[in-house]
Amino acid sequence: MKTELWGSYKLSSSAECAKKEIEKLVPDLNQSISSLGAEIKGWKIDKNLLRIRIISTRLRAHEALLRLRSPIGKALGKEYHLGIRETRVDDYTLTFSLEKEPLGVVSIPFANVQIKGKEVRMSLKQLSREFLEKNYIDRMIKLVREKVAKQHYKGKKEYWELMWQSKQKSERWNKDPTEEMLKLGWLKQGPTKGKWFFYPQVASIMSAMEKIALEEVLEPLGFEEVIESHHVPLDIWLKTGHLKSIPGEIYYVSEPLTRKEQDWEDFTDMVKITHKVPEELFKKHLDTPKSGVCYAQCPIIYWSLQNRTIAEESLPIRVFEKRAVSNRYESGGRHGIERVDEFHRIEPVYIGTKSQLLELRERLIERYRHVFEDLLELEWRRAWVTPFYMSQAGEVYEGEGEKVEGTIDFEAWMPYRGDRENSEWLEFQNLSIVGERYIKVFNIKGQKSRLWSGCSGIGLERWTAAFLAQKTLDPENWPEGFKECLSKAPRGIKFL
Ligand code: ATP
Ligand code: ZN
Ligand code: MG
């Protein structure tokens, strides 16, 4: 990498008088940065500006500019009573090479990016000291590399490796349960996009699934319930990385600017006169969003432990949240009750030493296996896939490393989608160990131990969809293990 800039130190008054001093100083300054690959290649005085040209092959040139501030300030202060008031870069060019040639245009904020072959030339102008000190430059270089890597990654399938597969189960039907439930009046398309109204028949099945998850998986393994809020402040998602990856899937929450009746008078007047929602007035009355609706429960659970030290006796922490409803803007991907914009998930979260989590993962898998094999009698499989935190961050994963940190997907065959071999199976839940990444960003400490964490997403709509797609809507066809939890659907409401 080569970096070159013209920068300037703005002095408290004209520096003309200090020309000789600067001339003397430059060789010393150069010596102090030469081992870092940087060099002052030129300088000039322009009234109260000391302009300086730096070229560097190792240290970023702007870092040299920041470093030289202090020795220059000292020398000019002592003799000439000149102080440095401002440091900035006027013109900055960075050239670096990529691993692969880009497949399309790459652009990023703050810079002009030109790429010839594998060589990138990134030019920036007029950068403040704050900009230089905040590590933006390195992040911009990383972003260019990431965008090029993504161009190559695009279209490639996510990593998927079969870990285990159940025996085939006899096929009972091949209908889409959502369509059939609609016909029977068990379901109604929700009042807004991607939502459902579950009448008692389906609600009872989802509740039975919840009961099974609690009684057969979480309680035997010592998980305890926590209750969190539905609203997630944006700075939490800044930490977890969600805002870098899925800002287009979040439902944002806006607070009213005030709750005073008189401030909303224009709004209520319009409602009274037009009997319509005066949408245009929202701009005036609502704040920009500062939070969003729960996407998954774990970020707030980590937040609740932020900056705390966990007593050794509490490890491994095992908690779950089942009340916050997950919202995701799925757009074109919506289908049936299995891919919706609002869904009900139970999310267990675990924090402990690496070995505690590896053991817990085995025990969780064993309990899940018991549920899907013995109670629901599903045809299902487990696969090692791109870890959710990598796919959400657009990072490439090709199965490298030991299978310790990462995500296991649990998938069920959906007969209505086609045969076992060629149709897409439904991911009805997953289980991850995420290593130290969230522990670090939320600064969670162990009394003695080094902590890791992980979570599992139990999607109740997906459990239900998978079960009904294989076992039909007729309780006669349901396995005995499940019938012990729910032997018949409630009577529901009869529509005329
Ligand atoms: P997908 O790849 O199917 O979009 P995901 O990787 O986005 O799933 P996660 O964020 O890992 O899902 O969430 C974990 C669990 O939450 C999933 O296994 C599933 O049970 C449930 N889930 C996720 N998205 C939806 C959705 N749109 N509708 C219903 N359940 C969902
Ligand atoms: Zn999670
Ligand atoms: Mg998704």
Side-chain angles (χ1 to χ4, degrees), residues 249 295 328 330 339:
E249 287 186 44
Y295 181 90
R328 296 182 186 185
E330 294 282 2
R339 185 172 294 279

Side-chain angles (χ1 to χ4, degrees), residues 3-37:
T3 59
E4 45 197 310
L5 61 75
W6 267 107
S8 49
Y9 302 110
K10 189 174 174 188
L11 303 167
S12 46
S13 62
S14 172
E16 294 289 347
C17 56
K19 243 182 176 151
K20 282 245 156 56
E21 178 71 21
I22 296 167
E23 221 164 72
K24 270 205 303 202
L25 192 61
V26 168
D28 293 343
L29 296 175
N30 266 338
Q31 205 173 14
S32 71
I33 53 174
S34 68
S35 64
L36 301 164

Side-chain angles (χ1 to χ4, degrees), residues 177-203:
T178 302
E179 298 298 321
E180 301 306 306
M181 290 194 285
L182 277 167
K183 283 185 206 154
L184 292 173
W186 289 15
L187 262 185
K188 182 180 167 69
Q189 190 96 51
T192 57
K193 276 184 287 195
K195 326 278 191 311
W196 292 99
F197 187 93
F198 300 99
Y199 290 110
Q201 296 91 333
V202 204

Side-chain angles (χ1 to χ4, degrees), residues 221-240:
L221 296 181
F223 279 85
E224 295 177 323
E225 184 177 6
V226 293
I227 301 177
E228 68 176 42
S229 71
H230 278 56
H231 292 190
V232 183
L234 299 183
D235 60 345
I236 288 188
W237 280 330
L238 207 50
K239 285 197 163 138
T240 54

Side-chain angles (χ1 to χ4, degrees), residues 27 60 115 133 141 187 214 223 225 245 262 292 307 378 433:
R60 316 257 185 273
I115 309 183
E133 283 177 341
I141 296 168
L187 262 185
L214 298 180
F223 279 85
E225 184 177 6
S245 54
Q262 65 269 32
N307 299 331
L378 291 179
I433 290 185

Side-chain angles (χ1 to χ4, degrees), residues 296-299 302 345 347-349 388 438 455-456:
Q297 289 102 314
C298 61
Y302 290 116
R345 271 175 24 129
E347 183 164 356
V349 171
F388 75 85
Y438 296 142
C455 62
S456 175

Side-chain angles (χ1 to χ4, degrees), residues 15 19 46 82 101 141 152 180 312 407 410 427 460 464 466:
K19 243 182 176 151
D46 185 357
L82 290 170
E101 280 187 30
I141 296 168
H152 287 272
E180 301 306 306
E312 218 57 18
T407 298
F410 292 64
E427 173 200 326
L460 296 178
T464 304

